[in-house]
Amino acid sequence: MGLSIPTAAVADTTTTTTVASTTTTVAPTTTTTTVAPTAWQTWRVAQLAYVTQLRGINRTFRTALVSARSALAAAINASTTKAQRATAHANFHLALAAAFSARALALTALGSPPAPPAGSARSAYIDKLHAINVAYRAAVASADATFATAILTATTPAARATVRAALQLAVANAAVARAAALTALGSPPMKDGNSGKKA
């Protein structure tokens, strides 16, 4: 006897389980450590500012001299009379006096450079070097001030030549004294006892 087995269609059932995932992001931690500048680093900043001021004084002085000479040349070229040329030279001497006087005042107002941290051979050397340079600048300032006054009272070419010669001699003497003092001071110490760096 034949048995007829009906075909049962069986559907495969797939169960999908969804698992929620949690992602945790850890932000990197940055630690900033602020290191206070050393005494020598602080001094170097102050020293640089001082030198910058000094260079500014000299730059202003040179600019004033160039301007005065340019104005004189232009006035002479445009002049047609002896009186006009005399006026041009008088104005030039006024400009010279103003430039030299301004530099004298600026150098005096600048004063001494910042003192280095005490307690090392390098400090002692820098103090002596500063004293030499301050003395030189004081001598130049004095020569400038003397010239600024004298050039205005010099009424003849010979008198003006004498005033200029006196200025040149005073500055030259100051330079010679500075050079001698630097030679006597000698070489700087190779290393600083505090920082271990070359001077």
Side-chain angles (χ1 to χ4, degrees):
M1 181 175 62
L3 297 177
S4 175
I5 301 175
T7 303
V10 178
D12 291 337
T13 302
T14 302
T15 303
T16 303
T17 304
T18 304
V19 179
S21 61
T22 303
T23 302
T24 303
T25 303
V26 179
T29 302
T30 303
T31 303
T32 303
T33 303
T34 303
V35 179
T38 66
W40 278 102
Q41 289 171 334
T42 300
W43 172 79
R44 288 189 188 98
V45 171
Q47 177 72 4
L48 178 60
Y50 181 89
V51 171
T52 299
Q53 286 182 285
L54 180 59
R55 288 174 178 169
I57 291 171
N58 289 326
R59 183 167 52 251
T60 299
F61 173 69
R62 290 192 297 269
T63 300
L65 292 185
V66 170
S67 178
R69 293 187 182 110
S70 296
L72 173 62
I76 292 298
N77 289 335
S79 65
T80 56
T81 65
K82 184 177 180 180
Q84 289 174 334
R85 288 189 288 275
T87 299
H89 281 98
N91 290 335
F92 173 66
H93 295 139
L94 284 172
L96 281 185
F100 278 89
S101 179
R103 184 171 73 162
L105 291 173
L107 288 176
T108 301
L110 182 61
S112 299
S120 70
R122 185 185 183 197
S123 302
Y125 179 90
I126 293 174
D127 284 335
K128 293 176 183 177
L129 179 62
H130 281 175
I132 292 170
N133 288 328
V134 167
Y136 170 74
R137 288 193 289 271
V140 170
S142 177
D144 285 352
T146 299
F147 174 82
T149 300
I151 195 65
L152 295 179
T153 60
T155 57
T156 65
R160 287 190 288 269
T162 299
V163 170
R164 290 191 182 94
L167 170 67
Q168 293 170 354
L169 180 61
V171 173
N173 286 339
V176 169
R178 178 177 180 270
L182 289 175
T183 299
L185 179 60
S187 300
M190 292 304 295
K191 290 187 177 181
D192 171 42
N194 292 330
S195 66
K197 295 182 179 180
K198 289 185 179 181

